[in-house]
Amino acid sequence: MARIGVFICHCGENIGETVDCTKLAEVTSRFPGVVKSVDYKYMCSEPGQTLIKEAIKENRLTGVVVAACSPRMHESTFRKTCSEAGLNPFLCEIANLREHCSWVHEKSEEATNKAIDIVRALVEKVKLNEPLYPIKVPVTKTALVIGGGVAGIQAALDIANGGHKVILVEKNPSIGGHMSQLSETFPTLDCSQCILTPRMVELAQHPNITLYSYAELESLDGFIGNFKVKIRKKAKSIDENLCTGCGLCTTKCPVKKIPNEFDENLSYRKAIYVPFPQAVPNKPVIDRENCTYYLKGKCKICERFCPTQAIRFDQQDEIIEVEAGAIVLATGFDIKRADFFPEYGFGKYKDVIDGLQFERIASASGPTLGEIRRLSDGKIPKKVVFIACAGSRDPAKGIEYCSKICCMYTAKHAILYKHKIHDGQAYVFYMDIRAGGKNYDEFTRRAIEEEGAKYIRGRVSRIYERDGKLIVVGADTLMNARPVVIEADMVVLATAGVASPGSEELAQKLHVAYDQYKFFTEAHPKLRPVETNTAGIFLAGACQSIKDIPESVSQASGAAAKVCGLFSQNELTRDPLIAVVNRTAPPLYSTCVGCFLCQSVCPYQAIEKEEIKAKDGSVIKIIAKINPGLCQGCGSCVALCRTKSIDLLGYTNRQIYAEVDAILNTL
Amino acid sequence: MDRVKQKARDLLDSNKVQVVIGYEEGTDGTARPVFIMDSKNIDKLIFNDRCYHNLAVYLTKVEVEKIGRVAVEASLNTLKGIVKLASEGQFVFEDIDILGVNRNGELYEFASLDEVIDYIDQHPVEYSPEEISLLRKIESMTREERWEYWQEEFSRCIRCYACRAACPNCYCDACIVDINQPQWISPTPDALGNLEWHIIRAMHLAGRCVNCGACAKACPVDIPLNILNLKLAEEISKNFGISEEFLLTNYPLAIYDPNDKENFIK
């Protein structure tokens, strides 16, 4: 026989002012099965909780209804209270009198009556509650980090230094990401490579880290703590164990005119190449799309010169299967390129370049060895126009967000330019200067006040070429929209930052949510910014939204902390509020008919096939089975199942039916 | 028809199948399903406009499974039922022999499931002018009139579940109306119980129904269930923008497609 206790909280005046709690306690005490009903000013307080604990023991309660605030607020509090008094925590239910009644109604008899109905529904439900026990799943203490830019590097190092194994997958031949392309970094102007490359080397040499460069995620199965990962290691066409990275092959390769991606296509590389001198791993790959041997079937000059016979023309892509307990996504970002800005002559005029190209030109290791020169004729540009918000914050261009880093790097570009060309003049067209961050505003002030950059608030309507000059036509909105025409030698567009190519496909492989711009979505914008909605998959860096280096690194360390927290236990404990497929007596075994339509509706890929076998091993029936590690208890399958063969524990069909029935029968 | 019979005979004689499911002459000028296990009875097989039963309905029955391998005389509607059932994992397509018959009773052979789907795709559903005009008539009613209309229609229902028995997609071992913990739908043939039954039947078939009309033809009290199905088919294609061919092997209410025409899911 059910012995239910009802505990009514006044929540100070939140509930007590609107609902007659004394009457509520009196009426509910007469409900069938209710053996104790009391009201109290603050049930969540220490004395309130003690009240519940003592009542459980004294009245030998089999179920508890706490009529208080939203279960989101204190369900765990009261379940813990019950647990401490020896009652299974899942035999405690919360009747939400605050959000569902007192906060939305005036003080009245009807409000009290509604409260009575709410409690009645929960009393009927709790009578059908069954004890549930937390689910334990083992944890594979290896993390997979996808993306080897600064965020991926930081996350990998932090997790590895925490004593756990890390597998880092980078799609390019070298780790380093966009940061390795940068000249100097704001707001301190320290050399990007000088601070990054030691980290890259540390990563490569770390005993806990396995690096797969030139590799991509092939597929992902499994769930938090137990991911099964397939990695496609693209054929580098060299034997990495034999290659010493001497670089002779690169020197001898006759294919010279391949645009160098690392230099943003401002220089050329060979068909067998190392992307940049400090690359990690510092071993070449053969670009099969451009290699003469792969195109025409002969050449093999690199093979002839290789002192260690490390060239492998017949090497195949390799699929590596690994297990991981957690995944950090750090796939970074990209920027909009030429075809996006026809009005600025981008792609048409050689001296209209993007921010990353300017970084390469300003970089000591870049195509001009750090001298700022025009790409068209190699002359020193005396007037350079920087255009911020090229594409960003522009609904007409389909990108409504702020790319965030451009204000700062444009100020940096203006400073770098002035440092290298003392008699040059930098102009910056901007919409707003967004320089929030430590020493950021001071940095932009420095660009304007000390380095003489002329900031013009307004947008550029078009750019055209005349007599070797780029005529930049814009408006100064702080001067009554006075037209501004500048004859520039070079124009740098701070083009919009966008999600890196392939983000959508990757998100679909991982079942991670992404927004309309293909950036991965965090679980909560404020309180869970480094987690995704898929348990065990975390975010680091610009793959979530455009970020600068300090932010990327912070988030990477945050993600690493989450991973280390996850790995601090041998088993994961989860709430058992998951869906289960019913089992019945033979010959039915289950009312499930195996249509598996639930499989397609499940957002978590938690539904598998289970064979019910006879003693001789023959298959009698195939039914759905829900993986408790993957199920998040959303209930989509329960709603879809035509035969009602799936039940959500804690919210079974019978419980919900009883709850609804209790409300309807009082109307 | 001779080629159909010949193939059926060959299949039985060579013991490749143990039963041929087809149509035979019934009483009072009707046609009815027949199970032929001996090839000397093959001449009973017929095919004409009176053969409206969707024979796919038998393929999920345990009793039929027990006989052995099955060959089915499959009209267009039966073919649709077969494809749908195979897509819902109720049997493996290759485990069934298909004696396809076109409208004139000529044999059609299919080498693969894809060929069947192609054939179905080339022969879209044709609704009769009577069906379309009834649907438009119901659509033009006010809400209250429509409610009255269906209440009136459903009031005749005697809950014999002939509609369920005739439908190839109603293959659940335990139908929701038979589940009593909790009792979701009242089994009583009264206004509420009948309404609940027909609404839930329609919902369970939305996006799955192959529009064969077998349910309406089976109904002893002539409730126009085919009109409900027709309306559902229209709603599904309107709201999901999905082709009939796609619907045959997919369930639009349970899929996520990044290319969906609705943006809100992204």
Side-chain angles (χ1 to χ4, degrees):
Chain A
M1 213 31 220
R3 297 177 63 81
I4 311 297
V6 178
F7 300 89
I8 297 152
C9 178
H10 293 232
C11 196
E13 292 188 341
N14 277 304
I15 297 170
E17 190 56 23
T18 314
V19 171
D20 184 346
C21 292
T22 319
K23 185 184 168 194
L24 181 60
E26 195 271 315
V27 174
T28 53
S29 71
R30 285 185 269 124
F31 287 168
V34 173
V35 294
K36 172 94 181 174
S37 185
V38 286
D39 59 311
Y40 188 73
K41 193 110 184 156
Y42 288 106
M43 207 55 91
C44 58
S45 67
E46 185 72 36
Q49 292 190 48
T50 310
L51 189 81
I52 298 176
K53 283 187 212 170
E54 283 173 0
I56 290 172
K57 287 174 191 157
E58 276 171 25
N59 299 288
R60 291 173 289 117
L61 298 182
T62 59
V64 165
V65 174
V66 182
C69 50
S70 162
R72 279 195 84 94
M73 191 84 191
H74 276 312
E75 185 181 69
S76 57
T77 312
F78 292 118
R79 287 195 163 161
K80 200 159 157 263
T81 309
C82 291
S83 177
E84 282 165 9
L87 190 71
N88 184 288
F90 295 94
L91 298 175
C92 169
E93 290 288 344
I94 308 297
N96 185 355
L97 292 193
R98 196 177 70 180
E99 282 82 347
H100 287 180
C101 188
S102 65
W103 272 3
V104 291
H105 297 301
E106 297 291 326
K107 179 179 179 141
S108 64
E109 204 183 326
E110 281 127 312
T112 305
N113 288 341
K114 179 173 172 181
I116 293 171
D117 286 347
I118 294 174
V119 175
R120 181 188 285 111
L122 269 302
V123 167
E124 290 308 313
K125 184 189 176 199
V126 82
K127 285 180 187 172
L128 297 170
N129 276 27
E130 290 191 17
L132 299 174
Y133 301 92
I135 297 170
K136 295 213 157 109
V137 279
V139 181
T140 305
K141 295 186 183 180
T142 300
L144 173 73
V145 178
I146 304 174
V150 65
I153 291 171
Q154 184 70 36
L157 284 173
D158 284 353
I159 299 166
N161 288 335
H164 305 294
K165 296 283 178 200
V166 178
I167 296 162
L168 190 136
V169 176
E170 166 58 50
K171 73 174 170 190
N172 290 319
S174 169
I175 56 171
H178 284 308
M179 186 174 167
S180 62
Q181 291 178 289
L182 307 182
S183 50
E184 271 85 36
T185 55
F186 61 78
T188 46
L189 293 186
D190 39 0
C191 155
S192 187
Q193 289 231 349
C194 311
I195 55 176
L196 180 66
T197 47
R199 293 291 180 93
M200 291 161 61
V201 174
E202 188 188 343
L203 184 140
Q205 294 174 347
H206 203 295
N208 279 347
I209 300 179
T210 310
L211 169 62
Y212 294 117
S213 59
Y214 213 47
E216 288 182 33
L217 183 93
E218 180 78 6
S219 69
L220 179 85
D221 281 315
F223 49 93
I224 180 169
N226 299 274
F227 291 111
K228 300 206 172 10
V229 189
K230 283 188 186 160
I231 299 164
R232 176 178 291 271
K233 210 165 157 257
K234 292 179 280 186
K236 293 182 177 178
S237 311
I238 59 147
D239 184 327
E240 286 173 282
N241 295 324
L242 293 177
C243 174
T244 58
C246 71
L248 199 56
C249 52
T250 313
T251 322
K252 299 292 180 186
C253 176
V255 188
K256 295 174 179 154
K257 289 276 179 181
I258 305 165
N260 186 344
E261 301 87 351
F262 183 77
D263 273 341
E264 291 295 320
N265 301 338
L266 299 182
S267 68
Y268 295 108
R269 63 163 170 80
K270 302 288 187 71
I272 182 164
Y273 70 108
V274 176
F276 54 100
Q278 302 88 337
V280 171
N282 200 344
K283 290 178 182 176
V285 298
I286 296 181
D287 168 6
R288 292 190 176 186
E289 281 175 19
N290 290 300
C291 168
T292 313
Y293 172 73
Y294 289 102
L295 292 174
K296 294 182 182 154
K298 54 186 173 189
C299 176
K300 292 197 174 185
I301 290 175
C302 49
E303 189 180 46
R304 199 163 353 123
F305 281 95
C306 179
T308 57
Q309 283 80 46
I311 306 289
R312 295 283 178 275
F313 286 109
D314 56 352
Q315 201 174 56
Q316 300 286 318
D317 285 7
E318 197 182 336
I319 302 287
I320 299 166
E321 292 186 32
V322 294
E323 293 192 354
I327 296 172
V328 178
L329 273 175
T331 50
F333 71 107
D334 198 4
I335 57 164
K336 279 288 182 192
R337 318 260 169 173
D339 54 338
F340 207 60
F341 304 98
E343 66 273 38
Y344 292 161
F346 191 29
K348 186 164 146 202
Y349 307 131
K350 271 192 157 179
D351 297 318
V352 179
I353 60 174
D354 63 45
L356 270 179
Q357 287 177 321
F358 188 84
E359 294 286 348
R360 292 314 300 150
I361 291 173
S363 169
S365 67
T368 56
L369 302 174
E371 287 183 28
I372 295 180
R373 290 181 178 278
R374 276 155 60 100
L375 295 171
S376 54
D377 52 15
K379 285 184 187 158
I380 306 280
K382 296 292 183 187
K383 275 185 185 176
V384 177
V385 171
F386 296 92
I387 302 176
C389 289
S392 309
R393 302 175 67 198
D394 189 350
K397 286 280 187 193
I399 296 177
E400 297 193 30
Y401 58 85
C402 165
S403 292
K404 202 172 179 182
I405 54 175
C406 328
C407 284
M408 291 306 298
Y409 80 62
T410 298
K412 177 190 76 180
H413 286 173
I415 294 174
L416 289 179
Y417 169 68
K418 191 72 182 173
H419 285 189
K420 297 202 178 205
I421 299 164
H422 302 309
D423 58 344
Q425 179 60 56
Y427 297 89
V428 177
F429 280 92
Y430 71 100
M431 281 161 72
D432 299 290
I433 300 174
R434 298 188 163 179
K438 193 173 181 180
N439 294 327
Y440 281 14
D441 200 57
E442 297 91 318
F443 187 74
T444 52
R445 299 306 325 164
R446 174 180 163 192
I448 299 166
E449 288 160 11
E450 292 174 31
E451 313 284 357
K454 284 192 177 153
Y455 269 59
I456 304 159
R457 188 184 184 280
R459 303 200 67 176
V460 171
S461 58
R462 71 188 185 111
I463 296 170
Y464 59 93
E465 201 169 31
R466 191 174 65 204
D467 304 333
K469 295 274 186 187
L470 293 162
I471 314 299
V472 180
V473 184
D476 187 341
T477 54
L478 296 182
M479 300 286 277
N480 285 332
R482 182 174 56 91
V484 180
V485 178
I486 296 168
E487 287 188 12
D489 298 311
M490 183 187 265
V491 175
V492 182
L493 306 179
T495 57
V498 291
S500 45
S503 291
E504 192 171 15
E505 292 75 17
L506 183 64
Q508 287 169 0
K509 274 183 194 166
L510 298 166
H511 305 292
V512 164
Y514 53 95
D515 66 19
Q516 56 178 317
Y517 302 109
K518 322 290 186 229
F519 288 111
F520 304 137
T521 310
E522 62 282 2
H524 188 284
K526 293 164 194 79
L527 300 177
R528 295 172 70 194
V530 304
E531 293 155 86
T532 65
N533 266 327
T534 306
I537 303 184
F538 304 96
L539 299 174
C543 60
Q544 180 211 8
S545 66
I546 302 293
K547 290 187 182 64
D548 59 23
I549 297 166
E551 276 187 324
S552 295
V553 171
S554 311
Q555 198 189 12
S557 288
K562 289 278 173 196
V563 172
C564 289
L566 181 65
F567 288 177
S568 67
Q569 314 149 63
N570 293 324
E571 281 182 325
L572 294 176
T573 307
R574 301 193 40 221
D575 261 1
L577 304 177
I578 55 158
V580 288
V581 178
N582 71 16
R583 282 304 194 82
T584 56
L588 212 49
Y589 298 96
S590 167
T591 55
C592 171
V593 283
C595 69
F596 290 102
L597 297 182
C598 51
Q599 220 171 24
S600 54
V601 83
C602 176
Y604 306 102
Q605 278 62 49
I607 300 181
E608 303 161 357
K609 294 188 177 179
E610 181 180 26
E611 294 178 340
I612 296 179
K613 288 180 176 165
K615 273 183 186 159
D616 63 1
S618 60
V619 177
I620 301 171
K621 194 172 181 179
I622 298 172
I623 63 167
K625 184 190 176 191
I626 292 157
N627 183 321
L630 284 173
C631 177
Q632 302 288 317
C634 73
S636 301
C637 56
V638 179
L640 194 81
C641 182
R642 300 191 301 279
T643 53
K644 301 286 158 219
S645 304
I646 313 179
D647 249 335
L648 189 59
L649 296 181
Y651 301 89
T652 63
N653 285 319
R654 284 187 69 200
Q655 286 173 304
I656 301 297
Y657 201 92
E659 208 175 327
V660 175
D661 213 31
I663 294 172
L664 291 180
N665 286 336
T666 60
L667 292 178
Chain B
M1 202 59 211
D2 293 341
R3 283 184 61 210
V4 179
K5 287 180 185 171
Q6 191 51 48
K7 192 177 173 195
R9 195 174 284 121
D10 291 348
L11 284 169
L12 280 172
D13 286 343
S14 60
N15 209 25
K16 276 187 186 145
V17 303
Q18 282 69 50
V19 62
V20 172
I21 306 179
Y23 302 97
E24 67 171 351
E25 284 297 339
T27 50
D28 296 333
T30 60
R32 66 186 177 200
V34 61
F35 288 62
I36 299 174
M37 284 174 261
D38 190 334
S39 65
K40 69 174 187 280
N41 295 328
I42 277 298
D43 280 328
K44 283 184 179 177
L45 281 183
I46 58 163
F47 189 78
N48 53 45
D49 286 349
R50 290 170 289 137
C51 303
Y52 58 76
H53 309 82
N54 195 327
L55 299 182
V57 77
Y58 297 111
L59 301 174
T60 50
K61 300 276 182 275
V62 184
E63 297 80 355
V64 176
E65 247 171 64
K66 279 181 185 160
I67 302 173
R69 194 176 164 97
V70 181
V72 191
E73 184 184 357
S75 64
L76 185 61
N77 283 333
T78 302
L79 285 174
K80 288 182 195 171
I82 291 172
V83 173
K84 190 76 206 166
L85 289 171
S87 83
E88 292 187 3
Q90 296 307 304
F91 48 72
V92 178
F93 177 77
E94 285 72 26
D95 287 351
I96 284 167
D97 283 292
I98 293 179
L99 304 166
V101 282
N102 69 5
R103 206 169 257 186
N104 306 320
E106 290 155 353
L107 180 69
Y108 255 84
E109 291 183 278
F110 302 101
S112 66
L113 185 57
D114 287 341
E115 277 191 31
V116 180
I117 294 173
D118 280 348
Y119 177 80
I120 295 170
D121 199 34
Q122 287 155 19
H123 298 80
V125 198
E126 289 172 21
Y127 298 105
S128 70
E130 294 80 28
E131 284 176 307
I132 299 290
S133 71
L134 180 55
L135 174 63
R136 300 295 168 241
K137 189 182 129 199
I138 297 169
E139 281 173 342
S140 67
M141 293 176 181
T142 64
R143 276 164 62 125
E144 291 72 24
E145 286 168 349
R146 206 153 54 228
W147 174 252
E148 285 289 312
Y149 174 83
W150 285 112
Q151 287 284 68
E152 173 66 32
E153 292 293 331
F154 294 151
S155 72
R156 296 199 301 279
C157 178
I158 53 171
R159 303 297 280 279
C160 66
Y161 302 124
C163 48
R164 184 176 78 186
C167 176
N169 281 327
C170 278
Y171 55 77
C172 296
D173 295 325
C175 175
I176 188 165
V177 75
D178 301 325
I179 291 170
N180 56 10
Q181 285 283 354
Q183 181 79 56
W184 292 98
I185 302 173
S186 162
T188 325
D190 57 13
L192 179 66
N194 288 354
L195 187 70
E196 285 178 339
W197 160 247
H198 286 288
I199 287 176
I200 211 136
R201 198 193 75 87
M203 286 313 294
H204 280 185
L205 286 167
R208 298 173 63 238
C209 175
V210 295
N211 291 89
C212 65
C215 51
K217 293 203 174 90
C219 181
V221 293
D222 296 328
I223 300 172
L225 295 169
N226 53 328
I227 303 299
L228 272 184
N229 298 342
L230 173 54
K231 181 67 182 165
L232 280 177
E234 280 193 0
E235 289 296 314
I236 292 284
S237 67
K238 194 168 84 194
N239 287 301
F240 295 87
I242 285 170
S243 69
E244 203 197 335
E245 181 193 0
F246 181 85
L247 284 175
L248 268 178
T249 47
N250 292 280
Y251 184 43
L253 305 190
I255 50 172
Y256 169 74
D257 178 5
N259 300 318
D260 194 287
K261 72 188 179 94
E262 302 288 358
N263 282 320
F264 67 88
I265 57 167
K266 290 185 182 172

